[in-house]
Amino acid sequence: MGWLWAIIVGLVLGVIARGILPGKQNIPLWLTVVFGILGSILGNAVAGWLGVSHTKGIDWTRHVLQLIGAIVIVAVGDMLWQAIRGRRGDRQRT
């Protein structure tokens, strides 16, 4: 059940991150989920470093840090995806 929950959270965070970022992100949905999962992991790590990973009730700080992590990873991942896809497209044309 843990993996299923990670995929669902990754999908939600990735889609929200894509919605927040300006412009169009040209990454496929499966990569959005992966980036969302990685952002969640990054946000949890930062929350742990800040000492806010275990609080009573809804941990809004941790959730905001997870979303920020997803935004950063989706933005960087989209740039890398475009660079890789662009290079691949150039090779196929020659």
Side-chain angles (χ1 to χ4, degrees), residues 10-11 14-15 18 24-36 74 77-78 80-82 85 88:
L11 173 64
V15 169
R18 283 179 71 166
K24 184 177 187 305
Q25 288 75 43
N26 295 314
I27 55 175
L29 183 60
W30 67 268
L31 200 52
T32 302
V33 173
V34 170
F35 290 161
V74 166
D78 181 55
L80 291 172
W81 179 258
Q82 291 306 315
R85 298 296 285 184
R88 235 186 248 168

Side-chain angles (χ1 to χ4, degrees), residues 4-83:
L4 179 62
W5 188 245
I7 292 170
I8 292 169
V9 169
L11 173 64
V12 170
L13 285 175
V15 169
I16 292 172
R18 283 179 71 166
I20 290 173
L21 287 169
K24 184 177 187 305
Q25 288 75 43
N26 295 314
I27 55 175
L29 183 60
W30 67 268
L31 200 52
T32 302
V33 173
V34 170
F35 290 161
I37 292 169
L38 293 174
S40 177
I41 292 168
L42 178 63
N44 281 337
V46 171
W49 295 330
L50 296 176
V52 294
S53 60
H54 300 291
T55 59
K56 293 181 181 179
I58 298 175
D59 192 1
W60 293 108
T61 305
R62 182 172 54 93
H63 296 313
V64 168
L65 290 171
Q66 289 175 332
L67 180 58
I68 291 169
I71 291 169
V72 168
I73 291 182
V74 166
V76 171
D78 181 55
M79 288 186 288
L80 291 172
W81 179 258
Q82 291 306 315

